[in-house]
């Protein structure tokens, strides 16, 4: 089983108005992507964030009251909920919409790290190009978009990584195997942050930490995502055949600018899921995971010792090395991508313990710290200078003329997995070996005939007979490619569905 | 960097970054152009 994707909520601001309306600006930003008028297509019927993977349904989320309040305040606006969301499905199989007043780009489902990173970068380009169009309407470069996770005033927004996993893995096994890994994953995947903050309670200067999101983790397990955020989210919304699959929905991660960090974050998590599925992980429990997440984040020297329930104390690097070594033992030789990951994972942990300067341009927290320390030396300023938070913010600016990371990349100081051609290809079409490619192809060829879409289904307009493509169990890459071929060659969705359904009948 | 060729190296990447100090004529200039008050003014609603 190998399928993953990333959803990124972008920060958005305007510098020509004193009080920007985030509802309108996020909506207009998404719509700036469109060449034609917005047409509602996304079907929310398949989404229910109240189902909990621990086997129950919650009556309400902590954010429901705040959402209701926003809905009451937004009710006077001259547009509907669906207009405000402006949900788009793009020709590359991605989803681009306004989620909680943040433009959100969800990559199509990917099977390889190369595809995933290319589609993550394609999302940056789509957001930036939409901002350019919006700025032309505004009459100046007033709109800025940030691929980060905090506003330095206690408001966080997410970058979630998602993995398809067999439902046959009991959720308690997933939780036990993942919690220590996620507590320590930030040494690789942290985006770095100047200062310390807490949920909606301000920001304090004077420190540098590994992660943008660690300050906002408040519990080990939970179904909430906007308040009382959990290290391991228990939302049970598979977007697939519920009898066979789960979607692991991780909200602890930072939005990464470095391609290497994105690849290692997703790749190492996928390896750990493989280990859990094999039952290869020995029991290991962190005594206070929420405390440990914050302690690890706030120690760039990575010397903090984490207490385990069996009384031992280990560092975050030792925890990661523990997982890395078991993965090497169990998974080496599985395939080339796994072997590359095992090698890079071990080398990265070694570099973090010996000479982290080797990771500039590869890990975000190391790269940002290197930039900021260089700037502090040049300008003779200290960690209490508020300028540093602004530099932190601008590291994540997606405008290549302004963003600090993108400036570094333009100088050739960032490790690249993608090529410009690869990103352009990811802008045009989805992966040809996942249902994301099928979804994108249907948008490219039969846009006018699509009535509604969900992650796992496409409903076409037409005859009395139901005309929908169910992709809830379309994960075998050979089957996906066959489906792509059929929809590529058919003259209409009805023709394609007739061939596809006949094929499925023969198989059963 | 990968010690040996891997499927990830198709199409020209990955490429090794040059990790000297930042180019003082461009990157530090870009950093100096950042408004020190930018983060103070930046406000978002809580997301997921």
């Amino acid at each position: 089983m190998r399928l993953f994707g990333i959803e990124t909520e972008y920060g958005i601001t305007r510098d020509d108005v004193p009080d920007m309306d985030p509802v309108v600006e996020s909506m207009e930003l998404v719509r700036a992507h469109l060449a034609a008028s917005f047409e509602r297509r996304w079907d929310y019927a398949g989404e229910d964030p109240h189902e909990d993977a621990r086997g129950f349904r919650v009556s309400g989320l902590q954010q429901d009251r705040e959402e209701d309040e926003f809905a009451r305040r937004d009710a006077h606006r001259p547009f509907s909920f669906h207009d405000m969301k402006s949900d788009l499905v793009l020709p590359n199989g991605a989803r681009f919409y306004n989620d909680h007043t943040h433009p959100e780009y969800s990559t199509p489902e990917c099977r390889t790290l190369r595809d995933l990173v290319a589609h993550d970068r394609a999302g940056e380009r789509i957001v930036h190009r939409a901002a350019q169009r919006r700025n032309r309407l505004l009459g100046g470069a007033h709109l800025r978009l940030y691929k980060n996770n905090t506003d330095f005033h206690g408001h966080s927004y997410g970058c979630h990584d998602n993995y398809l996993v067999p439902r046959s893995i009991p959720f308690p096994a997933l939780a036990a195997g993942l919690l220590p890994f996620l507590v320590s994953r930030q040494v690789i995947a942290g985006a770095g942050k100047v200062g310390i903050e807490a949920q909606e309670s301000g920001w304090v200067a004077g420190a540098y930490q590994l992660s943008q999101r660690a300050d906002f983790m408040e519990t080990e397990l939970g179904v909430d995502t906007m308040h009382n955020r959990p290290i391991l989210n228990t939302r049970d919304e598979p977007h697939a055949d519920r009898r066979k699959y789960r979607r692991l929905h991780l909200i602890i991660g930072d939005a990464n600018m470095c391609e290497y960090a994105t690849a290692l974050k997703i790749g190492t998590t996928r390896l750990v899921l493989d280990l859990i599925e094999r039952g290869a992980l020995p029991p290991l429990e962190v005594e206070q995971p929420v405390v440990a997440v914050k302690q690890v984040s706030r120690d760039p020297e990575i010397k903090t010792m984490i207490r385990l329930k069996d009384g031992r104390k280990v560092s975050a690097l030792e925890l990661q090395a523990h997982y890395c070594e078991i993965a090497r033992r169990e998974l080496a030789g599985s395939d080339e991508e796994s072997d590359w990951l095992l090698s890079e994972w071990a080398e990265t942990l070694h570099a973090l313990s010996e000479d982290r300067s080797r990771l500039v341009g590869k890990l975000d927290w190391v790269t940002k710290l290197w930039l900021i320390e260089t700037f502090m030396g040049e300008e003779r300023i200290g960690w209490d200078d508020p300028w540093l938070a602004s530099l932190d913010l601008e590291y994540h600016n997606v405008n290549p003329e302004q963003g600090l990371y993108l400036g570094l990349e333009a100088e050739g100081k960032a490790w690249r997995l993608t090529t410009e051609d690869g990103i352009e290809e990811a802008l045009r079409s989805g992966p040809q070996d996942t249902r994301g490619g099928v979804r994108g192809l249907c948008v490219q060829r039969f846009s006018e005939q699509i009535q509604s879409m969900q992650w796992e289904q496409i409903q076409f307009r037409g005859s009395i007979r139901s005309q929908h493509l169910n992709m809830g169990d379309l994960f075998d890459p050979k089957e996906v490619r066959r489906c792509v071929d059929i929809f590529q060659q058919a003259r209409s969705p009805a023709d394609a569905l007739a061939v596809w359904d006949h094929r499925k009948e023969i198989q059963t | 960097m990968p010690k040996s060729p891997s499927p990830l190296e198709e199409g020209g990447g990955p490429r090794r970054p040059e990790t000297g100090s930042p180019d003082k004529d461009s990157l530090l200039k870009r950093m100096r152009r950042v408004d020190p008050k930018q983060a103070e003014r930046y406000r978002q609603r809580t997301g997921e």
Side-chain angles (χ1 to χ4, degrees):
Chain A
M1 188 73 60
R2 190 168 301 180
L3 204 71
F4 29 66
I6 299 176
E7 342 158 31
T8 305
E9 296 175 22
Y10 285 81
I12 181 169
T13 190
R14 262 178 77 172
D15 65 7
D16 61 330
V17 289
D19 294 308
M20 185 194 80
D21 184 334
V23 176
V24 171
E25 285 308 327
S26 294
M27 182 179 79
E28 294 294 350
L29 187 279
V30 172
R31 288 176 178 227
H33 176 79
L34 287 172
S37 58
F38 170 69
E39 185 179 355
R40 176 187 161 190
R41 290 229 177 103
W42 193 259
D43 178 1
Y44 298 92
E47 301 184 4
D48 182 359
H50 295 80
E51 290 290 341
D52 194 303
R54 290 169 289 184
F56 52 86
R57 179 182 166 78
V58 297
S59 58
L61 302 173
Q62 294 206 16
Q63 67 231 39
D64 284 350
R65 190 186 298 172
E66 184 175 304
E67 290 286 285
D68 290 346
E69 173 58 19
F70 282 140
R72 189 187 61 75
R73 277 198 264 160
D74 293 341
H76 70 281
R77 296 177 185 278
F79 43 76
S80 69
F81 169 78
H82 292 287
D83 285 332
M84 185 267 287
K85 296 285 280 190
S86 298
D87 234 301
L88 309 181
V89 181
L90 308 183
N92 64 359
R95 184 179 172 194
F96 184 37
Y97 68 118
N98 169 20
D99 194 25
H100 304 283
T101 72
H102 296 275
E104 174 164 330
Y105 180 85
S106 302
T107 68
E109 302 87 335
C110 297
R111 190 174 298 282
T112 67
L113 293 174
R114 173 176 285 278
D115 278 347
L116 183 72
V117 175
H119 279 278
D120 187 52
R121 296 302 305 267
E124 292 174 22
R125 304 291 170 91
I126 284 167
V127 168
H128 172 57
R129 291 174 189 182
Q132 284 181 306
R133 291 195 195 99
R134 177 74 178 138
N135 275 329
R136 281 198 285 274
L137 285 174
L138 295 174
H142 301 302
L143 201 63
R144 289 173 184 241
L145 274 297
Y146 297 103
K147 191 187 183 194
N148 76 338
N149 306 101
T150 181
D151 72 349
F152 303 94
H153 293 87
H155 302 104
S156 184
Y157 34 97
C159 176
H160 304 167
D161 39 320
N162 298 277
Y163 308 81
L164 188 74
V165 295
R167 192 164 283 269
S168 57
I169 304 176
F171 189 78
L174 276 178
L178 281 168
L179 271 172
F181 172 73
L182 293 174
V183 164
S184 53
R185 191 180 70 166
Q186 56 188 310
V187 302
I188 292 170
K193 182 166 79 175
V194 171
I196 294 173
E197 58 191 333
Q199 178 77 13
E200 292 169 6
S201 63
W203 172 85
V204 180
Y208 185 82
Q209 52 178 319
L210 309 189
S211 163
Q212 299 232 314
R213 288 283 270 186
D215 286 342
F216 299 97
M217 293 298 117
E218 297 181 277
T219 189
E220 294 174 29
L221 303 174
V223 74
D224 277 282
T225 53
M226 294 175 74
H227 296 273
N228 200 31
R229 291 187 183 92
I231 295 171
L232 184 55
N233 185 239
T234 58
R235 180 185 291 181
D236 190 4
E237 205 176 47
H239 298 318
D241 185 336
R242 175 175 289 275
R243 296 165 301 178
K244 295 185 177 179
Y245 307 105
R246 297 181 191 279
R247 175 180 61 122
L248 179 67
H249 178 239
L250 297 178
I251 71 164
I252 189 174
D254 291 352
N256 292 110
M257 301 299 293
C258 289
E259 295 186 0
Y260 188 85
T262 299
L264 274 196
K265 174 174 72 176
I266 304 301
T268 58
T269 306
R270 195 269 295 166
L271 291 179
V272 171
L273 289 171
D274 284 355
L275 294 177
I276 293 169
E277 188 173 359
R278 289 176 176 223
L281 286 175
L284 189 154
E285 287 186 86
V286 174
E287 191 168 77
Q288 294 182 294
V290 176
V291 172
V293 161
K294 293 175 170 59
Q295 286 176 335
V296 170
S297 182
R298 294 170 189 177
D299 174 25
E301 298 308 314
I302 325 180
K303 301 292 186 196
T304 294
M305 301 304 281
I306 301 164
R307 183 183 286 275
L308 305 180
K309 280 193 176 172
D310 63 11
R312 287 181 294 156
K313 289 182 177 179
V314 295
S315 71
L317 284 176
E318 288 169 336
L319 262 182
Q320 283 288 302
H322 165 78
Y323 279 97
C324 184
E325 173 55 25
I326 297 171
R328 187 195 60 75
R329 213 164 54 222
E330 294 285 330
L331 303 172
S334 302
D335 55 78
E336 287 180 288
E337 186 177 90
S338 295
D339 285 346
W340 178 83
L341 274 168
L342 291 167
S343 168
E344 295 303 309
W345 192 3
E347 188 167 317
T348 297
L349 297 177
H350 181 70
L352 282 169
S353 66
E354 296 292 325
D355 176 17
R356 71 180 178 217
S357 70
R358 286 157 48 196
L359 299 169
V360 170
K362 297 175 91 175
L363 301 189
D364 283 298
W365 77 264
V366 175
T367 307
K368 188 187 287 180
L369 180 58
W370 174 71
L371 280 172
I372 286 175
E373 286 183 334
T374 302
F375 187 79
M376 289 167 68
E378 290 287 323
E379 296 296 316
R380 299 176 187 278
I381 57 176
W383 279 107
D384 57 345
D385 194 309
W387 203 351
L388 302 185
S390 296
L391 293 172
D392 181 341
L393 181 62
E394 292 302 320
Y395 177 89
H396 299 270
N397 190 325
V398 298
N399 184 339
E401 303 297 319
Q402 298 168 336
L404 300 185
Y405 174 78
L406 294 181
L408 189 84
E409 186 177 79
E411 287 188 3
K413 292 188 171 66
W415 183 94
R416 296 290 301 269
L417 175 58
T418 64
T419 61
E420 290 304 308
D421 286 348
I423 296 173
E424 286 299 320
E425 177 59 28
L427 285 163
R428 285 193 295 270
S429 60
Q432 298 302 293
D433 57 357
T434 78
R435 66 184 190 183
V438 178
R439 186 183 308 112
L441 177 61
C442 288
V443 172
Q444 292 166 38
R445 291 209 65 213
F446 304 121
S447 180
E448 296 300 315
Q449 291 108 306
I450 293 173
Q451 182 170 316
S452 65
M453 304 181 94
Q454 301 174 0
W455 285 111
E456 67 272 41
Q457 182 171 291
I458 302 172
Q459 180 77 39
F460 295 97
R461 300 182 207 281
S463 65
I464 299 170
R465 187 166 172 263
S466 174
Q467 291 198 20
H468 71 271
L469 175 63
N470 186 335
M471 301 188 290
D473 197 11
L474 184 56
F475 300 116
D476 179 336
K478 286 181 185 167
E479 281 296 288
V480 170
R481 288 193 181 95
R482 183 65 189 140
C483 189
V484 166
D485 286 345
I486 289 170
F487 275 82
Q488 187 73 60
Q489 292 165 22
R491 287 188 300 177
S492 70
D495 287 353
L497 286 169
V499 175
W500 179 248
D501 289 345
H502 178 64
R503 177 183 167 85
K504 302 301 281 185
E505 281 170 20
I506 292 171
Q507 285 177 335
T508 54
Chain B
M1 295 300 99
K3 293 182 179 69
S4 57
S6 86
L8 297 168
E9 289 183 289
E10 293 167 10
R15 295 187 288 280
R16 186 184 184 87
E18 300 162 16
T19 51
S21 61
D23 183 335
K24 289 176 183 173
D25 289 335
S26 57
L27 201 53
L28 281 172
K29 192 186 288 182
R30 185 179 286 220
M31 294 172 84
R32 287 192 185 99
R33 279 202 300 267
V34 172
D35 182 345
K37 299 279 188 184
Q38 180 72 5
E40 190 179 320
R41 286 195 302 271
Y42 182 64
R43 296 285 177 122
Q44 301 289 293
R45 279 193 194 175
T46 291
E48 287 203 280

